[in-house]
Amino acid sequence: MSTQVTTAFVEQYRNNVELLVQQRGSLLRDAVNTDGSVVGKTKFTEQIGSAEARVRTSRHSDSPLLDTPHARRAYSLSDYEWGDLIDKQDKVRMLIDPTSTYAQAAAFAMGRAMDDVIIAAATGDSKTGVDGTTTTSLPSSQKIAVGYSDISGSTDAGLTLGKLRRTREIFATNSVPEDEEKIMVISPSALHSLLIQKEVTSGDFNNIRALVQGEVDFFMGFRFIVSNRLALSGNNRTCFAFARSGLELGIGQDVMARIEERPDKSFSTYVYYCMSIGATRLEEEKVVEITVDEEAGSQDPNAAQTV
């Protein structure tokens, strides 16, 4: 029986990996704006700012000439690779199975890399200016400190209802459209810490408990995504919320899979997968950084409420 890897075989594997990347590999790919046609190493995104209307003060006055502000965001693409050698014919045949552990390993590895790129772009520095050499940081007005105290005077270092309310207030103050989807990316510990807040009502507790158990993913107007890839400094975890149009993922090369025999490796079958991606924060006003103390979420949530 021939061991030659056919073109149809490679295409089936590529399709399996692509499906897994989109459905399970990356948690954030479908949550952000995506440009799947980036050409070249660097992508520039043009932005148009807002200009105020002018009052007409007299008849037959000159036509207004307003200076509409323009801005640019730039980000570079990086190449990511995954590869493995397979030396048994039965394992090679298994590659075309959609549940193949090789396809899953490749997809999940690339998905984690994709999430890391998006997370870094959300709260890190952005490249702006005509040539993309100016550095723009997320301003303090878009950050909620670990010990934030809300209007009720309640202070807690974990993820609190007060921090969620403050996040909604920041978006509203920035005139982010109410009907635009807003996503909250948090850690498992931060999610559990919601359950132990003293101000949580019975209704809130039931809703949060359903969120923790994976029965729902919406709460207080946010779609929650739980990730283990968020930055951790000491006990402080950097969570964030964003409106969909506030982040962009650029894809220069999406899924490219190759399966070939390697004569330099005793003709073992080599499985290879790569992608080229980059990301940026498009608007500071549409991203809110929320710092939480992981220790604040370590208590037993079952002892926090009586409902």
Side-chain angles (χ1 to χ4, degrees), residues 111-126:
R112 289 190 296 269
M114 191 174 292
D115 283 356
D116 288 344
V117 169
I118 295 172
I119 290 170
T123 59
D125 293 336
S126 297

Side-chain angles (χ1 to χ4, degrees), residues 85-86 259-270:
L85 283 169
I86 306 171
I259 305 175
E260 295 183 351
E261 291 180 349
R262 290 274 300 269
D264 61 324
K265 297 295 183 181
S266 300
F267 291 91
S268 295
T269 299
Y270 182 62

Side-chain angles (χ1 to χ4, degrees), residues 127-249:
K127 297 299 182 182
T128 62
V130 174
D131 54 2
T133 57
T134 302
T135 298
T136 300
S137 302
L138 192 67
S140 58
S141 59
Q142 298 296 121
K143 298 181 180 181
I144 300 177
V146 63
Y148 169 75
S149 177
D150 65 10
I151 193 171
S152 67
S154 175
T155 302
D156 195 292
L159 183 62
T160 65
L161 294 181
K163 289 180 178 179
L164 298 186
R165 287 194 294 264
R166 175 56 182 159
T167 302
R168 288 180 55 84
E169 180 185 9
I170 292 174
F171 283 141
T173 301
N174 294 339
S175 299
V176 179
E178 186 66 29
D179 60 353
E180 182 172 356
E181 183 181 24
K182 299 172 183 64
I183 297 96
M184 180 85 63
V185 186
I186 63 175
S187 66
S189 178
L191 177 55
H192 279 275
S193 72
L194 278 174
L195 286 169
I196 62 175
Q197 303 309 309
K198 294 179 180 178
E199 62 177 322
V200 172
T201 64
S202 296
D204 285 334
F205 180 77
N206 291 331
N207 291 332
I208 297 171
R209 183 169 57 187
L211 190 66
V212 172
Q213 294 173 346
E215 297 171 1
V216 299
D217 59 0
F218 280 88
F219 180 66
M220 285 187 66
F222 295 102
R223 176 160 71 91
F224 280 76
I225 295 177
V226 180
S227 171
N228 289 309
R229 313 293 294 181
L230 297 170
L232 180 66
S233 177
N235 292 330
N236 290 342
R237 183 77 69 176
T238 303
C239 303
F240 65 96
F242 66 97
R244 175 180 287 273
S245 61
L247 297 176
E248 178 175 298
L249 171 68

